[in-house]
Amino acid sequence: MGDNGTGNGTGKAAGNGAGEAAGKAAGGGGGLTYRDAGVDIDAGNALVEAIKPLVRATRRPGADAEIGGFGGLFDLKAAGFKDPVLVAANDGVGTKVKIASETGLHDWVGIDLVAMCVNDLVVQGAEPLFFLDYFAVGRLDPQIGARIVAGIAKGCQIAGCALIGGETAEMPGVYQDGDYDLAGFAVGAAERGALLPRGDIGVGDTIIGIASSGVHSNGFSLVRRVVGELGLSWDQPCPFEFDTSLGRALMEPTRIYVRPLLRAMRETGGIRALAHITGGGLEENLPRVLPRHLGAEIELRRIQVPPVFRWLAAAGGISEKEMLRTFNCGIGMVVVCAEGAAESVIENLRAQGENAVTMGRIVEAGGSGGRVRFLGNLELGG
């Protein structure tokens, strides 16, 4: 993080012109300070020192994961690549940050930030290499900042990428005290010729679904609306999961699929395409990796719908159609593979702890039902 953060200077963007204007108003003398304008450079420096061990823990071949310069470095040759193509992705976690600030689960939302970016890299066959974050806040609390970076560092370790820098912007007047926003930036690489989707996707290929860990990081404006209309609080007992609070159940971090998928690609050779199921659900994300002349048939009864989605549908009176276009409904990642390779791909993923099931097949596109046709219904309960 740069300004008041992981190392590209302190305070240059935070507050934009507030400090400069204050200085002019004071006549350039010993009057107002940047802290008076709401930006605390000392807090930023304290955050930098607190997160240095967290960042170092993300070291990997190609990156030493030290912070403090104006930019982070990565050595592709040291990482073992011979003829790589770089793949980049950036994302955020949406209004889930609001629940994070209200529940104090700041580290969990840090994991989410990494997951949303690196899952977008692996679907293109790329190994995530390094990550940078942007943390914008109204008033910087170094303890909260350190917890967020701890989550980011944990996410990077799960994904096997290095946290090599980022930016912290303290912007009073833009964000209220207690509010913050996050954005993440990830870069990965794949050897030339190993990128996904492959060109041999065809009619009859098998569609495999890999279970999500929950709501992940999409649809939280609707989640918050449901919770608000019911008058519920985040710390009350969860109505659909025992021994936890509602907030913790809804904040379960996005699953990071990187290592299992990279291994399955390498060991089975049967994966032709991957789709990360985020906003828009299966209907909008699966066509993104298919040729225009192809579509998909999905057997909804094959999806094991987690309790959180059944509760949201019932509590909010949300239709199946709206659930499918807003949430992942239990499938966080989709694999397209040759029909004959499906069994080995599923066995490989299950051996790595992933809950993978066949849920459909590739068909010719056409008709009035769109490129993804749903068969049957989700088991959303009564």
Side-chain angles (χ1 to χ4, degrees):
M1 297 179 183
D3 295 348
N4 295 348
T6 58
N8 302 344
T10 56
K12 60 180 172 60
N16 296 320
E20 182 179 346
K24 289 179 179 177
L32 291 175
T33 66
Y34 211 7
R35 179 178 290 181
D36 294 330
V39 179
D40 190 343
I41 293 175
D42 292 333
N45 292 334
L47 175 59
V48 172
E49 292 305 311
I51 66 177
K52 281 183 177 179
L54 303 172
V55 174
R56 292 190 189 107
T58 70
R59 284 177 172 149
R60 55 150 293 155
D64 63 9
E66 285 291 339
I67 56 172
F70 285 91
L73 305 178
F74 193 91
D75 186 341
L76 282 168
K77 186 175 181 180
F81 288 91
K82 297 179 175 60
D83 186 20
V85 175
L86 294 179
V87 181
N90 72 292
D91 211 337
V93 295
T95 58
K96 193 173 185 178
V97 295
K98 187 67 174 176
I99 306 178
S101 66
E102 292 171 353
T103 60
L105 296 171
H106 307 290
D107 48 343
W108 283 15
V109 83
I111 297 172
D112 280 300
L113 185 66
V114 177
M116 296 302 289
C117 295
V118 297
N119 284 341
D120 280 353
L121 292 183
V122 75
V123 299
Q124 297 193 244
E127 174 190 345
L129 302 176
F130 59 86
F131 188 87
L132 301 98
D133 66 276
Y134 174 75
F135 171 40
V137 63
R139 182 179 61 83
L140 182 61
D141 182 327
Q143 291 186 333
I144 292 176
R147 288 189 61 189
I148 292 170
V149 176
I152 292 171
K154 183 174 181 179
C156 286
Q157 288 176 295
I158 295 170
C161 62
L163 176 57
I164 65 171
E167 177 85 347
T168 297
E170 189 173 19
M171 299 191 293
V174 176
Y175 296 92
Q176 299 301 311
D177 283 358
D179 287 342
Y180 61 82
D181 199 10
L182 298 171
F185 308 85
V187 173
E191 293 293 353
R192 197 176 304 275
L195 291 168
L196 297 179
R198 285 170 24 183
D200 56 352
I201 303 171
V203 172
D205 282 357
T206 299
I207 298 173
I208 297 168
I210 308 178
S212 66
S213 56
V215 184
H216 283 187
S217 295
N218 295 101
F220 272 90
S221 292
L222 182 52
V223 169
R224 291 170 56 238
R225 177 68 177 269
V226 171
V227 171
E229 288 193 349
L230 293 175
L232 304 177
S233 61
W234 304 122
D235 60 355
Q236 74 178 64
C238 178
F240 55 85
E241 188 173 321
F242 296 116
D243 301 325
T244 192
S245 66
L246 177 61
R248 293 183 72 87
L250 291 170
M251 283 291 294
E252 182 68 30
T254 304
R255 192 164 184 84
I256 296 176
Y257 299 97
V258 169
R259 291 181 190 267
L261 287 175
L262 289 174
R263 178 176 165 183
M265 282 187 273
R266 183 175 62 250
E267 295 182 356
T268 69
I271 295 179
R272 293 177 170 174
L274 297 167
H276 184 199
I277 308 305
T278 55
L282 290 162
E283 186 173 5
E284 294 187 16
N285 287 288
L286 187 48
R288 295 169 66 181
V289 300
L290 300 178
R292 289 188 177 273
H293 69 286
L294 296 178
E297 282 187 350
I298 302 294
E299 298 180 50
L300 294 178
R301 63 180 180 82
R302 298 284 299 165
I303 298 175
Q304 185 176 348
V305 182
V308 60
F309 297 112
R310 297 200 299 270
W311 177 78
L312 283 168
I318 306 171
S319 69
E320 179 183 89
K321 181 179 180 180
E322 189 66 19
M323 291 293 297
L324 283 167
R325 71 194 300 261
T326 303
F327 301 111
N328 66 65
C329 293
I331 299 296
M333 186 70 69
V334 165
V335 180
V336 178
C337 64
E339 185 178 8
E343 185 176 348
S344 64
V345 170
I346 289 174
E347 288 180 355
N348 188 288
L349 291 168
R350 287 178 176 173
Q352 299 183 73
E354 300 297 331
N355 182 3
V357 297
T358 58
M359 55 181 286
R361 64 190 185 98
I362 300 298
V363 297
E364 291 285 354
S368 59
R371 293 182 64 196
V372 177
R373 297 194 287 274
F374 296 117
L375 306 178
N377 298 100
L378 288 173
E379 293 184 0
L380 293 173

